[in-house]
Structures are given as C-alpha cells and as structure tokens.
C-alpha cells in the first residue's frame, strides 16, 4: 500500500503521477515503521538516494521538501535502529563495492560529491574515485529553481543524515561515529554549521554514547566546545562549570574577530541538544534521579 504513494518504489511508468508531497512524507515515515529494526539495506539505499538526489529540470521545489528528506532520515534510523555496526560490516560482495551506508550518511552530513552517496542506478555506475568530484549535471538536467552543483546541499541533507546516524548507532558506543558527530573545536569551523544542525549533532552524538550520559551539569558542559565555553563565560557571562584562563590580549583579539551572535547560538543550541537528550534518557524515571534531572533542566 505504501508503494502506491512513493514513486521511487514503483519504478519506471508511463503514467505521469502527481502525488501530494505531504502524502509522500507520511508514506516515507510509514516505511520506516514498517521495516523498523530489520536492517533492510535495499530500502535504506533507496531512501539515501531520496535524501541526496538533486531536483530535475522540470521539478519545482516543494515547501515540504525539507520535511520529506527529514522523514527519510528518520525512516533510515528506524530501519537500522541500533544496527549500525552490523550494517557497516555487511558489505555486499561486489567487484567494485559501493560506499557503506554510514559513509554515505557522513557525506550527506558533512558535505561532499553527490556521486559518493547517491546511486540512482547502481547497476550502471562504477565505484567512484573518492578524490574526484562528479561533474556538474548538464544544463537540461538541472533544476530551473535551485542551483545544483556536483556536491550535495548540506542545508537539506545534514539534518536527516545526522538523525539517521544517531538512531543507527544508538546505544552502541561507537567512538568513530561519535567523533564524526562531535562539534568542531574551532570557531571558524563552527561558523560553517547552522545552529539547528548543531542541536541535532549534539543530540545524535548523545544517542550514540547513550550509556555515558550522566544527569549532571558537568556532562552538559562537556557537550559544548571548550573554545565556546571560554568566550561565553568570559565575555558573555554565561554560567559554566568549566574554568577558563584568558589573558587580556586574547580577549581584545576575540572582540575584534569573533562574532558574539555565533558564540551565543552555538552555546545555546548545543546546551539545548544535550538537555533534550538527557530528557529522553531519563523520561519516566522516579526518585533521586528524577529530582536531579529536573533541577538541571529547570
């Protein structure tokens, strides 16, 4: 039944089907629930293509496009819930294997060539060289509304890919994935990440390191980069349990080159993501732990 609402599952057809984007978004979510925790790689590969593919020349960008891609990310996470290590190890025995599902998700999250994560026709595509980017699509194949290039649009793909990684490796304690999800340690790199993506990355990393989560203010502070702590505590006077030692010369330099709004956004969005993760883990608890969490969150 879900197939009738998802064109990418129906295959080529002579009919020009126009299915409402909201219906497709709901159907994608239902697909994730239907195959929840099965590790069905064929469905996951199709959903990955839906997240990373570019618009056709005759296709108008729908207002629901972001919701559609985000639903696809949740669907991937549900299908692979907690099975990240198993799926990464189960590589198909092809002569030229495609990149693994986690590797493709990392490209969608961090950015990179589209030919490293989107394989609409795998039987016609050879394994791409990781050091070369795909050429820009021909003019007649480009969208008339969105400028398409050889790389994925991280503004559309980062959220679903991050959510998918967090759910896929939930409670696995995979340190390699946790390092990829960790926020950068420099302000220049943090400025390249949207604040809402910072929230999602902190949340996803907390899901991966679920057993390391502690109901303490110190744990929340550890989710915020040290450089943000230093500036936020010294200049913006934000509360923190982290001790900082900044000279007057460093402070004067920061005032000239650092955007205070960026510091505040990273600090608040990262803290919000950590608090949200803590609320997820300790929801429904009673007793001393509940009181401790409530004091922190309130």
């Amino acid at each position: 039944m879900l197939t009738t609402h998802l064109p990418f599952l129906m295959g080529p057809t002579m009919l020009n089907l126009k299915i409402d984007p909201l219906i497709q978004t709901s159907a994608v979510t239902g697909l994730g629930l239907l195959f929840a925790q099965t590790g069905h790689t064929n469905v996951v590969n199709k959903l990955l293509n839906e997240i990373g593919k570019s618009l056709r020349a005759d296709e108008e960008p729908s207002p629901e496009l972001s919701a559609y891609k985000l639903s696809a990310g949740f669907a991937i996470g549900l299908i692979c819930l907690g099975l990240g290590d198993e799926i990464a190890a189960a590589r198909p025995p092809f002569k030229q294997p495609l990149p693994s599902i986690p590797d493709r998700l990392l490209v969608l999250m961090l950015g990179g060539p589209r030919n490293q994560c989107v394989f609409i026709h795998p039987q016609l595509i050879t394994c791409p060289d990781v050091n070369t980017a795909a050429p820009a699509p021909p003019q007649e194949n480009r969208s008339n509304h969105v400028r398409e290039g050889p790389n994925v649009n991280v503004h559309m793909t980062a959220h679903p890919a991050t959510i998918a990684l967090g759910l896929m490796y939930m409670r696995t304690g995979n340190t390699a994935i946790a390092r990829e999800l960790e926020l950068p340690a420099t302000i220049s790199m943090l400025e390249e990440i949207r604040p809402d993506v910072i929230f999602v990355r902190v949340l996803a990393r907390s899901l991966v390191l679920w057993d390391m989560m502690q109901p303490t203010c110190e744990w929340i502070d550890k989710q915020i980069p040290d450089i943000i702590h230093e500036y936020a505590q010294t200049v913006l006077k934000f509360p923190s349990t982290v001790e900082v030692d900044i000279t007057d010369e460093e402070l004067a330099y920061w005032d000239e080159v650092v955007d205070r709004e960026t510091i505040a956004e990273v600090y608040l969005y990262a803290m919000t993501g950590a608090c949200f993760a803590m609320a997820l883990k300790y929801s429904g608890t009673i007793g001393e732990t509940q009181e401790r969490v409530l004091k922190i969150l309130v």
Side-chain angles (χ1 to χ4, degrees):
M1 188 66 181
L2 290 173
T3 304
T4 60
H5 302 301
L6 296 172
F8 70 90
L9 290 180
M10 289 188 287
T13 176
M14 297 296 293
L15 301 176
N16 186 16
L17 299 175
K18 294 292 184 181
I19 303 175
D20 188 272
L22 282 178
I23 294 178
Q24 295 187 49
T25 301
S26 301
V28 165
T29 305
L31 196 67
L33 294 173
L34 178 63
F35 291 97
Q37 215 169 6
T38 61
H40 200 298
T41 55
N42 185 36
V43 176
V44 171
N45 285 326
K46 293 180 181 296
L47 291 171
L48 280 170
N49 291 335
E50 290 301 298
I51 295 176
K53 73 177 185 180
S54 59
L55 295 174
R56 299 191 307 270
D58 59 344
E59 188 176 7
E60 296 185 9
S62 168
E64 292 82 15
L65 183 60
S66 297
Y68 176 77
K69 292 181 180 291
L70 185 61
S71 296
F74 272 104
I76 293 173
L78 290 173
I79 295 172
C80 305
L81 186 63
L83 303 175
D85 293 331
E86 300 176 18
I87 291 176
R91 300 295 298 275
F94 297 151
K95 185 176 181 180
Q96 291 181 322
L98 300 178
S100 66
I101 291 174
D103 289 340
R104 294 167 67 182
L105 286 171
L106 287 174
V107 173
L108 291 170
M109 182 183 75
L110 302 174
R114 185 174 281 108
N115 66 348
Q116 294 295 307
C117 54
V118 178
F119 303 95
I120 303 297
H121 302 292
Q123 69 274 17
L124 301 178
I125 298 178
T126 58
C127 185
D129 185 0
V130 296
N131 296 321
T132 59
Q139 185 65 39
E140 62 273 10
N141 293 333
R142 297 181 186 176
S143 170
N144 295 323
H145 304 273
V146 180
R147 180 179 176 85
E148 298 288 352
N151 296 332
V152 296
N153 182 2
V154 292
H155 298 294
M156 300 293 292
T157 63
H159 300 82
T162 306
I163 288 293
L165 280 171
L167 293 175
M168 182 183 297
Y169 286 92
M170 184 175 179
R171 302 193 70 172
T172 61
N174 189 300
T175 55
I177 295 298
R179 281 196 301 270
E180 296 290 347
L181 293 170
E182 189 175 7
L183 296 180
T186 62
I187 293 180
S188 59
M189 296 179 67
L190 287 168
E191 288 178 333
E192 298 177 358
I193 306 176
R194 284 173 45 176
D196 47 345
V197 178
I198 289 176
F199 167 83
V200 176
R201 284 180 64 165
V202 172
L203 174 59
R205 184 174 183 272
S206 301
L207 294 179
V208 176
L209 303 177
W210 182 272
D211 295 332
M212 298 178 62
M213 200 183 309
Q214 300 293 330
T216 62
C217 293
E218 289 76 12
W219 179 84
I220 293 178
D221 287 337
K222 288 181 180 179
Q223 312 313 308
I224 304 172
D226 292 339
I227 189 68
I228 299 298
H229 264 302
E230 294 177 0
Y231 192 91
Q233 184 177 351
T234 305
V235 179
L236 303 181
K237 306 303 180 182
F238 283 1
S240 175
T241 60
V242 179
E243 296 183 1
V244 297
D245 184 15
I246 301 177
T247 64
D248 294 338
E249 295 180 356
E250 291 176 332
L251 188 59
Y253 173 76
W254 281 9
D255 284 335
E256 293 181 3
V257 300
V258 176
D259 181 17
R260 294 193 176 194
E261 184 177 352
T262 299
I263 298 295
E265 287 179 343
V266 173
Y267 184 93
L268 295 175
Y269 274 86
M271 177 174 289
T272 304
C275 291
F276 192 89
M278 183 180 294
L280 285 176
K281 179 174 182 178
Y282 295 102
S283 59
T285 58
I286 58 176
E288 182 180 351
T289 302
Q290 179 196 31
E291 295 177 0
R292 194 186 316 167
V293 172
L294 287 176
K295 287 181 180 179
I296 295 172
L297 299 181
V298 175

